[in-house]
Every structure is written in C-alpha cells, then in structure tokens.
Amino acid sequence: MASLFAAITDWDNLWRAYRLAARGKRRKDSAAAFEQALADRLIALQSALRTRSYRPGAYRHFFIHEPKRRKISAAPFVDRVVHHALCNVIEPICEAGFIAHSYANRRGKGTHRAVDRLQELARRHRYVLRADIVQHFPSLDHSLLRAKLARLIEDEEVLWLVDSILASGVGALTAEYTPVYFPGDDLLAACRPRGLPIGNLTSQFWSNVFLNDFDWFVQRELGCGAYVRYVDDFALFGDSKSRLAAWREAIIVRLARERLTIHEAQTQVLPTRCGIPWLGFVVYPASRLLKRRNALNFTRRLARNLGDYQAGKLSFGELDASVQGWINHVRYADTWGLREHVFASHPIPKRSA
C-alpha cells in the first residue's frame, strides 16, 4: 500500500496542485514564470520533496484594511503548489472527523451557509452566546497543532513536510500577537512557536484541525447541538440563560487548554430577537441586515474604482467583477433598497479620452 507521502509527491497530484495554485493567478508574474518550464519545475519539486531537500521560501508580507487591518503573508508560488499537494491528500483524512456545522474553508460550506445555519438556530431558540477568539491565527500554537495532526497522520515523511511548512511561518505574525500566560506557564512560554500566516491554504485548513477538539467539546461534553462555527467566530444557542452562562465559563477554561482566549467582555448571553452580529451581517430570526461598516467600505471602494475606471486605470471587466462580488455577498440579506441607493448615487462615468 502506497504511503501518504508517496501520494503527495505523485506526479498527477503535483500537476493537480499546480492547476489549483494557478487558478485565477495565471497572469501573475510568479505563476507565469513557473509555467514557462512547467514540467521541469514539477520534476525538480518532486525530487526535492522525495529527497527531503525541499525548503520553503520567504513570504511577502502586506496589510489589508477591510473589513479590519490584517497582515497577509504570500508564499512563493512553488510553495503554494506544495500546500495544495499536501492538502489534496491529508484534508479528506481530517475532514472525516470534523463536525457538520463548522463552515469555513470546507467544500459545500462557506459564509452564506453559516449565516443560514445561524438564522435557523435563532428561529428555534430564545438566547444566544456568541464569541470570537482573540488574535486567532497569531495565537495558534505549533506544538499543539503538530500533536493534533500526528494523531491523524502516522506517516513520518508527511509530518516532516508539515514541520517544514510550520517552521517557515514562525515569526510571521509575532508583531500581531499579544503574549498571554496560561496556568503553569513559565517565562519561556512567550518563546513557544506560534502563528499561522494568513493567506496560506494550509493555515485555513489547519485552523479547522486546531479547533476540531473544541467543536466536539461543545457538542459532546457541553451537550450543545445548537452550535455553529466559522473560523474563530462561534455561537451556542439555547432556551436557558443560566445554562448558556455556565457554558461561557466552561468555554473559557477549555480554550485555555488550547492556549486561546475569547473577547470576554463582548461574550454575553443575549436574546436572539435582538439581532446577532455574524460574518458581516446582523441576523434576526426573521430577517438579515448588512452591517453598516460593510456598506460604507464598499461605497468608498466603489467610488475609488469608478475614479480609476474613468482615468483608464481599471477595465470595465475589473470594475464589474468587484461590483458583482459585493452584490453576490449582500443579496443574502435584506439589501434591495441599499443596493438601489448605492448604485443610483454612483453612476458609471464616461472614460477619459
């Protein structure tokens, strides 16, 4: 029986990984350069992996500011091929153990289904406990993550590749992390390797692996079946305020075992009829509204894009793609009037001659 590592380094898997990494990126210089000698580069990559001489390259870092300021780390194109090759093989193994109602970065799930699930639960229950993890990606502990992966994957060569990718991200989010000391820590705890670069396919996937034990804790040990999670945002529902309040304290203790914390001041038990902030929306049992910040951010971006289009810096296709992307997201809320107002007040201008 072929090993998992053999499956990862198999030619067909590397070819598929390249196609996935290049999707939507064919015009980028890094993807185009890799494609120029594609067969030779894949052969070289296959050899480097099989001889364990592969070393991830340096990240390119930049910041985005919508919906909030975040540091993004872009891996070299060849490393993105490796990330896809790895996830193609090990993701199904891990996916088999995930709960049904974790919605981020999984096939057949996504933002809008997470919103649907939240509203379904809001209709069935009187109260909600909504929480989010503080500095989620910067906080994820490498040692704990590696142990979780090793429980599922026994192939030492695969774990070598996991270690290589983890090590490449050490320090990427150090400046974004505020040290937290947990019971039993000494001063050296601040030096523990942590943080998964935002932007890596592996980071998104491993985030789900990391929190899977917590998901099962909520469902099995707390006995809360009315639960939904999307990355670091999660919500528990019930009809007893006191039970949800007790669950809040249990969650704080359980997450400390994972070296994670929640925003405690914002984590309160509230009536579902008051509306639940969730993934850019405010969700009520019978309706959904778009968060004001989302509308303001898009309006500013639209005005900027219209100016670039008029000046010839942006094609109509690029302008239309931005608009359609926003419409496709906000149409899942009660936004017809908002969309009508935004586009009536921002007509498409004539391009400069």
Side-chain angles (χ1 to χ4, degrees):
M1 180 175 166
S3 70
L4 288 179
F5 192 69
I8 290 168
T9 61
D10 178 76
W11 175 264
D12 289 342
N13 185 53
L14 291 177
W15 174 258
R16 180 181 171 221
Y18 156 72
R19 296 293 298 272
L20 291 169
R23 190 166 54 191
K25 305 284 195 309
R26 300 291 287 275
R27 295 184 180 180
K28 298 288 182 70
D29 290 344
S30 58
F34 194 91
E35 189 174 9
Q36 282 184 351
L38 178 57
D40 291 341
R41 292 182 188 277
L42 287 179
I43 290 170
L45 176 59
Q46 183 182 56
S47 175
L49 289 168
R50 288 179 171 176
T51 60
R52 296 203 196 187
S53 59
Y54 165 75
R55 299 292 182 271
Y59 289 93
R60 177 175 61 86
H61 304 289
F62 58 95
F63 289 90
I64 62 172
H65 300 274
E66 293 181 14
K68 60 183 178 182
R69 183 182 183 275
R70 291 188 297 171
K71 183 179 182 181
I72 306 298
S73 301
F77 185 80
V78 64
D79 294 338
R80 281 177 266 158
V81 174
V82 173
H83 298 168
H84 277 283
L86 174 65
C87 290
N88 286 348
V89 173
I90 70 168
E91 187 172 345
I93 297 170
C94 300
E95 174 75 26
F98 290 165
I99 67 166
H101 296 297
S102 161
Y103 285 86
N105 309 304
R106 297 176 66 189
R107 292 176 186 173
K109 305 289 185 178
T111 304
H112 299 127
R113 293 193 180 185
V115 174
D116 289 343
R117 167 69 173 171
L118 186 94
Q119 188 170 51
E120 173 197 344
L121 294 174
R123 288 171 177 159
R124 287 164 37 192
H125 298 281
R126 294 174 60 196
Y127 300 105
V128 61
L129 176 68
R130 195 200 72 82
D132 67 296
I133 294 169
V134 177
Q135 299 174 339
H136 175 61
F137 282 102
S139 300
L140 297 180
D141 187 272
H142 288 193
S143 178
L144 295 179
L145 174 60
R146 213 276 192 177
K148 293 172 188 290
L149 288 167
R151 292 204 315 257
L152 301 169
I153 300 164
E154 297 180 353
D155 190 318
E156 287 299 325
E157 289 181 300
V158 176
L159 292 174
W160 160 78
L161 183 55
V162 167
D163 290 339
S164 299
I165 296 171
L166 279 176
S168 73
V170 171
L173 293 174
T174 299
E176 313 303 307
Y177 177 72
T178 303
V180 177
Y181 287 90
F182 296 92
D185 279 354
D186 56 25
L187 293 177
L188 293 178
C191 302
R192 292 175 67 102
R194 63 173 61 82
L196 299 181
I198 301 173
N200 272 7
L201 173 68
T202 48
S203 298
Q204 300 165 17
F205 166 47
W206 287 341
S207 166
N208 280 335
V209 173
F210 197 98
L211 286 176
N212 191 47
D213 289 340
F214 172 72
D215 291 338
W216 283 113
F217 163 79
V218 170
Q219 291 201 343
R220 287 179 173 169
E221 297 188 38
L222 296 185
C224 178
Y227 171 70
V228 57
R229 180 175 65 80
Y230 189 94
V231 193
D232 58 328
D233 291 296
F234 59 91
L236 294 77
F237 290 80
D239 295 312
S240 167
K241 289 183 69 174
S242 60
R243 177 178 291 180
L244 284 166
W247 284 350
R248 176 185 182 276
E249 301 310 308
I251 283 168
I252 292 170
V253 173
R254 181 62 181 81
L255 283 174
R257 288 171 50 188
E258 307 288 359
R259 306 191 66 80
L260 297 173
T261 59
I262 59 174
H263 291 96
E264 294 188 26
Q266 289 84 15
T267 305
Q268 305 296 332
V269 180
L270 297 171
T272 52
R273 59 180 169 76
C274 294
I276 308 163
W278 186 248
L279 306 182
F281 300 98
V282 180
V283 181
Y284 296 85
S287 63
R288 305 172 186 177
L289 300 179
L290 189 69
K291 277 189 174 180
R292 182 173 181 271
R293 183 178 63 185
N294 183 300
L296 289 174
N297 287 342
F298 174 74
T299 303
R300 293 192 191 104
R301 186 166 71 250
L302 177 61
R304 185 169 62 247
N305 286 347
L306 288 171
D308 288 345
Y309 171 74
Q310 186 175 29
K313 298 178 182 178
L314 196 72
S315 71
F316 180 79
E318 291 169 320
L319 173 64
D320 186 59
S322 173
V323 169
Q324 293 301 329
W326 184 73
I327 290 174
N328 188 53
H329 176 61
V330 304
R331 68 186 177 88
Y332 287 88
D334 305 317
T335 58
W336 179 260
L338 170 66
R339 284 180 274 163
E340 195 172 52
H341 169 74
V342 167
F343 295 122
S345 60
H346 293 81
I348 298 177
K350 292 183 178 180
R351 301 195 76 165
S352 303

